[in-house]
Amino acid sequence: MMMRIENHLFLWLYLLLPLCLVNFTITINAATSHCLGHQHSLLLHLKNNLTYNQNQSKKLIHWNHVHDCCHWKGVSCNKGHVIALDLSQESISGGNFSSLFHMQFLQSLNLAYNEFISFETCSEFQNLKNLRYLNLSNAGIVGEIPKNIFQLPSLQVLDLSDNQGLSGFLPQNIPHQLASLNYLNLSHTNFSGPLPQSLFNLRKLSTLDLSNCQFNGTLPNSMSNLTHVVYLDLSFNNFTGPIPSFNRSNALRSFALNHNYFSGTIPSTNFNGLANLVRVDLGDNSFDGRVPSSLFALPSLQKLILSYNRFEGPLKKLPNCSSSSLEMLDLSGNNFQGPIPPSIFQLKRLFLLQLSTNKFNGTIKLDNIRSLPKLKTFDLSHNNLSVVGANVTYDQDFSYFPMLNNLMLASCKLDAFPSFLRNQSTLLYLDLSNNQIEGIIPNWIWKFEFLMALNLSNNLLVGMEGPFQNLGSNLFLLDLHGNQLQGTAPIFTKSIIYLDYSNNNFSSFIPADIGNQIPNAVYVYLSNNSFHGEIHESFCNMTFLRLLDLSDNRFNGEIPKCSATSDRSLRVLSLAGNELSGHVPDTFPTSCALRFLDFNGNLLDGTVPRSLTNCQNLQVLNLGKNQLIDTFPCFLKNILKLRVIILRSNKFHGHIECPSSTGNWEMLQILDLASNNFSGLLPSSLLQSWKALMHDEDRSRFGHLSFGLFDNINLIQNVGILTTEFSNADKMKFAKLVAMEPLFVVDHIVSHVMEGVYGIGRYEDSVTIVNKGQQMKLVKILIAFTSLDFSSNYFEGPIPEEIMNFKALHALNLSHNSFSGHIPSTLGNLRNLESLDLSMNSLGGEIPTELASITFLAIMNLSYNHLVGRIPTGTQIQSFEADSFIGNEGLCGPPLTQNCSGEGGQGLSQLPSSETTNSHRSSSIDWSLLSVELGFTFGFGIFIMPLILWKRWRLWYSKKVDDALYKIVPQLDFVYERHGGKKYRYLRWKPY
């Protein structure tokens, strides 16, 4: 371990050598002399015009009129002129820097690690013509960089790194005056745009760090001109295309292009002759083809990271394994296939070997790692490998295994816990998920002193061996989901940050106040178990909680009020599929941070809480399958980010038209109002506001709807982000544990294992909808999936023409309503439609032939309407079953058996016995119910005769009887139709 640390220190010292040389040059040019008067005045003027924290200042606070300015802290002089100024870490938060630019002899300026420096007061850099060293890193700079900073003729070092508010572009024509520049660091800024060709004319550059910016475009071939470059880092940008050759950069030691969009094959000649290359990181790009064989032949190479690309083919025997310097090899997340070459296990210096998520096959014996004495991280997960446990006969055989820190053997067809694990006292992370391990989780696995993360999910485990008291566990992550564990779920470590007990058969906790036992938890998954009783209010004591999933259990009682009132950072709350009752708490605070709220499938009543509008970042709201009684919640239109709204199977009623003063759901992609009591027309103003449904879908938008569980974090790049929500005590404990590993290894593990396997930092939405006539759970909602479901309500009128503008729509269900008029021919505009259900309405006219242009249509139901004419021929419409068209008395032609007129028959499809024809359309009486009405009126002949003879009495009486029958007989329902410009109401038996 010490040898490895010494090697890393040596590497970094080498990379910082240019800085050291510059500082050394400045130092030897400095001479002890008396400060000239005007230099003294300029410095005092600078001090008096700066805003800084005097309690934290160690330099500016001591500048005064008494002492010679050349002896002030942070000041160096030569012949009375100030040539070096170091005001780093002075807590400068603003002020005027104008006097600084009158120090024309200044050679070195360091303003790093301050709080806020504006370039509006630092715009005269061109006056500092002797400036060689400029360090503005981590100075809180905001705004755009002044172009004159690139016009300093003597500049050798420019460091603007770690200023997230700094933006701008590199000038297209970098002046030739910058030819002396050998160190350029713009990392962790918001610089963007392509790299100019002129940048690579700076042939003296030894360090170029543009990592973690927003640069894009391709790399020009002129990059090969950087023949003196030692350190090159372009990681975490948006670069695309192939990469140029670097085989002329003989001094290159560190080369990082990871986390971009580079593509194409890499010619083997690109790395020829780079004998000094120590580190190559091409991970998280789209490179393909075979890995250049020259990479494995580099004599000084210590770290090779090719993870998460599209490299393919079998791995050949590695050359010169016994003398190789390789310490870190990561080939995970590619398409490598075939057996793992045995030569890999001859790389004696390896301390990290990751081969996961490929297509490797064959059998691997764990005995192989005995030949890798320095191995600390070993990952074979998610291949097609059969891993055979180590052949350990005697206890002393354990000593021949390397002491691992991280072992990942997910999906390796293990059927038992590897026996050598009992002696692995230094384990930090253990992943044995997705195997066939049976039986009990042994007690010894809880006793590892340093174990921080344990994943035993998706096995055949049935129990956990105790006792669990006084184990001293340091687990931060515990994942046991997808087993057959039952009974009481133990909580035996307060350090838990991520807990997943979902998809088991647990029924209770020990102890019951789970929230008090794991107060620092951030992610808690307890779904799909048999937990019962009321939800314990201690859940509200988890002050760092971001995600809580208690869905699909047997919890009852009311939702704890604190779940809504708690002022915390909760992003995901799912209580779906329980037996919760009472009202939804109307106490969501103004600080509500929810993105996903799911109360589907409970017994909740009352109204939709108005305080939900405080949750301005809410994307998914699922209140379906409850007993809510309310009108359409127009106030929710003020939540502009809503994408999914599900209100189905409640008791909502009334019209759904909203005042124009409310906001718009421009991002809406799924709306489900089915099985309620909504009525009236579908309002045009509401439909016109759903902009996301109008964009013609780009089917290249793969992926799933998700959101960040942390603000302003798109990717876990380092361990610091993971610990954002840790308590101070847990941060100290975590730091102590990871001290066993070099920090860059911990970062690597966190970014690929935590982000890739667990998706920590992001949550992918899931909802249950009805699509294509089937209830389906969208465990992961596709970004491009869209659905509208208005079925089983009392909507009426024509199908709105505005719906025909929803070109991105996948599923449309208007069935079991009272829509009338024709099916719009513009329905053919919905070219992405896969499911269409217009059944059980009062639609008339012919089936428009334009439906044939919907090429993705897989499900269509037009049954039980008043459609007439021939079913369009020669189209995919005829590929649907006859059930899609029955109940339309005027339809004929295939797939119906009735021929059209002139083809051997009348062609009228017969309605089922529960339906009748509308031969008496001029009357509001449905004569199919006459016998029912007579049953109620028989014996009242004197009263009946006027009803039959006088139309006005008949209509009044029929309406009253229909209303009474509708309330008494649940199998009856009203159907609305228009005839001759008038609307009529009929009472019909429900056909379902």
Side-chain angles (χ1 to χ4, degrees), residues 11-30:
L11 173 61
W12 284 108
L13 287 173
Y14 183 89
L15 297 177
L16 293 176
L17 186 58
L19 287 178
C20 300
L21 289 174
V22 173
N23 285 326
F24 180 70
T25 304
I26 293 172
T27 302
I28 63 174
N29 286 337

Side-chain angles (χ1 to χ4, degrees), residues 213-489:
C213 294
Q214 301 295 325
F215 289 112
N216 56 36
T218 59
L219 298 184
N221 289 327
S222 58
M223 200 169 188
S224 299
N225 295 335
L226 301 179
T227 55
H228 292 88
V229 68
V230 175
Y231 182 94
L232 178 61
D233 191 345
L234 305 181
S235 61
F236 292 98
N237 278 284
N238 300 306
F239 292 117
T240 57
I243 61 173
S245 175
F246 293 92
N247 55 15
R248 296 168 55 200
S249 304
N250 295 327
L252 189 62
R253 290 181 62 84
S254 182
F255 180 64
L257 302 181
N258 51 297
H259 289 90
N260 278 283
Y261 300 96
F262 290 116
S263 59
T265 59
I266 302 176
S268 187
T269 55
N270 274 28
F271 296 96
N272 281 349
L274 302 183
N276 296 304
L277 197 55
V278 172
R279 174 195 175 211
V280 174
D281 190 346
L282 304 179
D284 292 88
N285 282 287
S286 296
F287 293 117
D288 55 29
R290 301 295 178 92
V291 175
S293 56
S294 56
L295 272 176
F296 293 105
L298 296 173
S300 302
L301 192 63
Q302 296 177 11
K303 299 172 185 65
L304 177 58
I305 301 173
L306 305 177
S307 54
Y308 293 93
N309 280 282
R310 298 172 186 171
F311 291 117
E312 61 185 9
L315 282 185
K316 297 180 180 180
K317 180 181 178 181
L318 305 187
N320 305 319
C321 290
S322 58
S323 60
S324 173
S325 301
L326 206 57
E327 298 179 350
M328 187 173 177
L329 178 60
D330 188 352
L331 305 180
S332 58
N334 283 284
N335 293 313
F336 293 116
Q337 52 199 252
I340 296 173
S343 55
I344 280 185
F345 297 101
Q346 298 172 17
L347 299 169
K348 302 294 185 183
R349 297 186 184 183
L350 270 187
F351 66 81
L352 182 144
L353 178 58
Q354 289 192 266
L355 304 175
S356 61
T357 318
N358 279 285
K359 298 176 182 177
F360 290 120
N361 55 34
T363 299
I364 290 291
K365 296 181 179 180
L366 288 176
D367 286 335
N368 288 337
I369 65 174
R370 294 186 185 190
S371 61
L372 303 175
K374 296 184 178 181
L375 192 63
K376 294 297 179 183
T377 296
F378 186 45
D379 185 0
L380 296 179
S381 300
H382 305 297
N383 283 284
N384 192 28
L385 294 169
S386 295
V387 175
V388 179
N391 183 18
V392 179
T393 307
Y394 304 103
D395 289 344
Q396 59 265 32
D397 288 344
F398 288 127
S399 61
Y400 293 106
F401 284 88
M403 297 304 293
L404 298 172
N405 291 345
N406 306 288
L407 176 62
M408 291 80 92
L409 298 176
S411 300
C412 286
K413 303 177 184 177
L414 290 169
D415 58 8
F417 290 97
S419 57
F420 82 100
L421 285 179
R422 300 183 68 144
N423 197 47
Q424 293 292 313
S425 58
T426 61
L427 275 175
L428 293 170
Y429 178 75
L430 177 61
D431 184 358
L432 301 178
S433 61
N434 294 285
N435 284 291
Q436 292 97 43
I437 302 175
E438 299 178 330
I440 306 294
I441 302 174
N443 180 261
W444 52 260
I445 212 165
W446 314 115
K447 296 181 179 180
F448 290 129
E449 180 182 359
F450 303 105
L451 190 63
M452 299 192 318
L454 175 62
N455 186 356
L456 302 178
S457 63
N458 293 312
N459 277 286
L460 304 172
L461 300 165
V462 296
M464 304 163 67
E465 182 182 5
F468 303 108
Q469 292 77 26
N470 303 317
L471 289 176
S473 174
N474 289 308
L475 278 173
F476 286 93
L477 183 151
L478 178 59
D479 189 348
L480 302 179
H481 85 267
N483 280 286
Q484 300 168 19
L485 300 169
Q486 53 191 319
T488 302

